[in-house]
Amino acid sequence: QAVVLAAADPAQPYGAALPWPAVLGDTKHRPARKAGALAVLVDGVPALYVERGGRSLLSFTEDRATLHAAATALSAAVRDGWLGRLQVQKADGERALTSGLAEVLREVGFRATPAGLRLRA
């Protein structure tokens, strides 16, 4: 089961009661309980972190099924109008179009643009 929560939501324990898991990739970005950021939990464990504005994604696992579940939940949040749209430019410190997450994001409806991967409601 995957759920999208605001990173600062009291129901989201990471960064408050529990430490964030290590992120994948070579990036200086780190998850935090910031306004506007999102955490996507799969079975209660962080799978994706969406930085404020949605330009950058961080992942916590390489498990494809987990990433697909998280990306599907994120896609549903956009399509249901909760997020409006996402324009991901970086994923795990790489250009979104060539990142390890690109294929998973495309599978759930993100489309390639010159700036990255975009999903609209």
Side-chain angles (χ1 to χ4, degrees):
Q1 180 176 340
V3 62
V4 179
L5 295 170
D9 189 319
Q12 193 287 107
Y14 292 91
L18 299 171
W20 289 99
V23 296
L24 300 181
D26 185 23
T27 180
K28 294 178 183 168
H29 294 256
R30 297 290 174 250
R33 296 177 65 83
K34 296 179 184 175
L38 303 170
V40 185
L41 308 182
V42 177
D43 295 330
V45 178
L48 293 174
Y49 177 85
V50 183
E51 292 190 322
R52 182 179 180 181
R55 291 187 201 138
S56 182
L57 284 179
L58 301 174
S59 63
F60 302 102
T61 181
E62 292 179 340
D63 181 70
R64 187 156 174 81
T66 300
L67 290 171
H68 194 272
T72 298
L74 192 57
S75 174
V78 171
R79 289 197 170 106
D80 292 345
W82 191 61
L83 297 179
R85 75 177 179 100
L86 281 178
Q87 176 76 36
V88 179
Q89 296 173 359
K90 295 243 177 207
D92 293 331
E94 300 176 40
R95 290 187 61 231
L97 289 169
T98 57
S99 73
L101 289 174
E103 186 176 340
V104 171
L105 294 174
R106 283 187 184 112
E107 288 173 1
V108 299
F110 281 78
R111 299 289 175 240
T113 70
L117 294 166
R118 180 178 61 210
L119 183 65
R120 290 191 254 195

